[in-house]
Amino acid sequence: MNTQHFRYALEVEKTGSITQAAENLFMGQPNLSKSIKELEDTLGIVIFKRTSRGVVPTEKGKAFLRYAKHILNQIDEMCSVCRDDDSDRQRFNVCVPRGSYVSHAVMQFVSSLSDGDDRPFDIHLGETTSIDGINMVADGIFTVGVIRYQTAYENYFRDYCRDKGLMSETVWEFESLALMSENHPLAARDKLSLSDFAPYVEVTHGDCNVPYINVAQSENMSLTLSGKKVVNLYQGTSQYTLLSTMTTAFMWVSPTPDEILKRFSLVQRKCDAPAHKYKDVLICREGYRFSEIERRFLDKLYEIKNRVAFSDRY
């Protein structure tokens, strides 16, 4: 059985198209179709079926693709070990939600790596959306990730993780807070209602999609009020800088560390809005064993989380 055919099948699953997969793999469509057929004949199953949504895996195909992905990840890790002459090098690849106590924990952890430790390290960090995080951990681009989703959509995200062959574990469930400049007109009030925010500008991440739900059909994942002014942020833009300079803006966020509040002159306030609960969830591939450096990061993550949870500002 040719494991290269595994990679072909996974690319077809990823793109949902034989034509696009062949283009991505720099090969002809007939050759790719032939390779998939040979793989199916060897396994004795049908891996893909054609639908109005494109090419999708069958139930047995989904099971095969989970195993194939796990096998290829193990092969890639084995090859990496064999190629590396520096066995003492520390490797850390993680993706996390943007602008949160989680990303703050990552920065704190990475900045501490050189303290009293002369070992070389190789670090890859990513701030991503939840769907992108799931896909990149499943594809082996990152080994560990933390994703965030509204609890109302939990079943969708858990099913998506399972379909991608990932394990998940809750880090924290919380109610989002309103983050704003200390000069915001609402900053002096301790508790607010949703209607209090109607005159002001809401800053939100503009790419918060839900798996298995068409973007056009899904509900908005924020508390946006119709008719309000909204600034949608995407990757590479600092929400904290915008909030600190735009004193009529606010953003729904996870509880924020004191260090960030002080650095950007921000405050966070509770709101008696309808249920607006979120979960942060740790993800990794099924059967994955955390390395020593990853366990140290998890210790730092929970330390920062506990510090924020018990802060008098929360």
Side-chain angles (χ1 to χ4, degrees):
M1 189 177 297
N2 188 346
T3 56
Q4 185 61 35
H5 290 175
F6 292 7
R7 298 188 189 277
Y8 295 165
L10 289 169
E11 188 64 29
V12 173
E13 179 196 25
K14 178 180 178 181
T15 61
S17 164
I18 295 286
T19 302
Q20 186 59 54
E23 183 178 332
N24 293 352
L25 293 165
F26 302 101
M27 63 188 301
Q29 181 179 337
N31 290 336
L32 177 57
S33 297
K34 181 181 177 181
S35 296
I36 297 298
K37 183 64 169 61
E38 289 175 354
L39 181 59
E40 290 178 327
D41 290 344
T42 300
L43 295 169
I45 65 170
V46 175
I47 301 175
F48 297 106
K49 60 182 179 182
R50 295 186 180 275
T51 73
S52 59
R53 295 181 290 122
V55 179
V56 299
T58 63
E59 287 304 311
K60 288 187 177 180
K62 289 179 181 179
F64 161 74
L65 291 165
R66 284 197 297 269
Y67 282 112
K69 187 173 297 182
H70 183 63
I71 290 169
L72 291 176
N73 284 331
Q74 288 187 318
I75 291 174
D76 290 343
E77 290 173 8
M78 178 182 66
C79 291
S80 177
V81 170
C82 293
R83 286 194 301 264
D84 189 13
D85 295 330
D86 190 358
S87 59
D88 197 37
R89 180 178 293 274
Q90 303 176 90
R91 289 177 176 77
F92 181 54
N93 303 330
V94 64
C95 58
V96 298
R98 285 170 285 154
S100 68
Y101 74 94
V102 185
S103 58
H104 182 67
V106 171
M107 300 310 168
Q108 292 284 304
F109 174 69
V110 171
S111 66
S112 70
L113 285 178
S114 295
D115 295 343
D117 190 342
D118 294 330
R119 287 180 295 171
F121 54 74
D122 188 9
I123 307 297
H124 294 268
L125 308 177
E127 287 189 317
T128 69
T129 67
S130 294
I131 291 181
D132 285 345
I134 290 171
N135 290 331
M136 288 192 284
V137 172
D139 291 341
I141 298 172
F142 295 103
T143 55
V144 177
V146 178
I147 61 170
R148 173 171 299 159
Y149 53 74
Q150 200 171 352
T151 54
Y153 298 98
E154 180 163 22
N155 289 338
Y156 293 101
F157 280 96
R158 287 201 174 275
D159 287 348
Y160 194 58
C161 286
R162 185 176 62 250
D163 289 346
K164 291 290 185 176
L166 301 180
M167 300 186 298
S168 60
E169 175 184 312
T170 299
V171 175
W172 195 12
E173 180 174 342
F174 58 87
E175 291 188 4
S176 58
L177 303 177
L179 187 68
M180 65 193 80
S181 165
E182 61 184 18
N183 295 317
H184 192 285
L186 299 178
R189 297 172 57 176
D190 291 332
K191 194 168 183 179
L192 301 156
S193 64
L194 192 57
S195 60
D196 291 326
F197 292 92
Y200 303 109
V201 178
E202 179 175 353
V203 179
T204 183
H205 291 304
D207 46 7
C208 297
N209 298 325
V210 180
Y212 307 121
I213 297 182
N214 186 285
V215 174
Q217 298 174 337
S218 66
E219 298 176 15
N220 194 315
M221 294 181 68
S222 74
L223 289 179
T224 303
L225 298 173
S226 63
K228 282 178 47 178
K229 298 177 181 179
V230 179
V231 176
N232 293 295
L233 293 187
Y234 296 85
Q235 295 181 7
T237 306
S238 172
Q239 62 193 45
Y240 300 130
T241 300
L242 180 59
L243 291 171
S244 66
T245 56
M246 192 174 185
T247 58
T248 58
F250 71 95
M251 188 173 193
W252 300 107
V253 298
S254 64
T256 303
D258 285 347
E259 299 96 310
I260 292 176
L261 298 177
K262 293 176 181 177
R263 185 186 313 161
F264 292 94
S265 301
L266 302 173
V267 297
Q268 55 188 359
R269 295 290 181 259
K270 292 184 179 180
C271 178
D272 63 357
H276 194 45
K277 293 184 178 179
Y278 282 81
K279 270 192 178 182
D280 286 341
V281 176
L282 178 70
I283 59 171
C284 62
R285 298 190 301 272
E286 288 181 357
Y288 182 75
R289 294 184 178 181
F290 296 121
S291 66
E292 183 264 344
I293 193 173
E294 288 165 346
R295 289 194 296 270
R296 285 161 49 200
F297 161 67
L298 293 178
D299 288 342
K300 174 60 71 174
L301 172 61
Y302 281 100
E303 174 193 326
I304 297 292
K305 186 267 286 189
N306 291 335
R307 186 191 308 166
V308 174
F310 293 107
S311 169
D312 58 3
R313 292 176 183 250
Y314 175 32

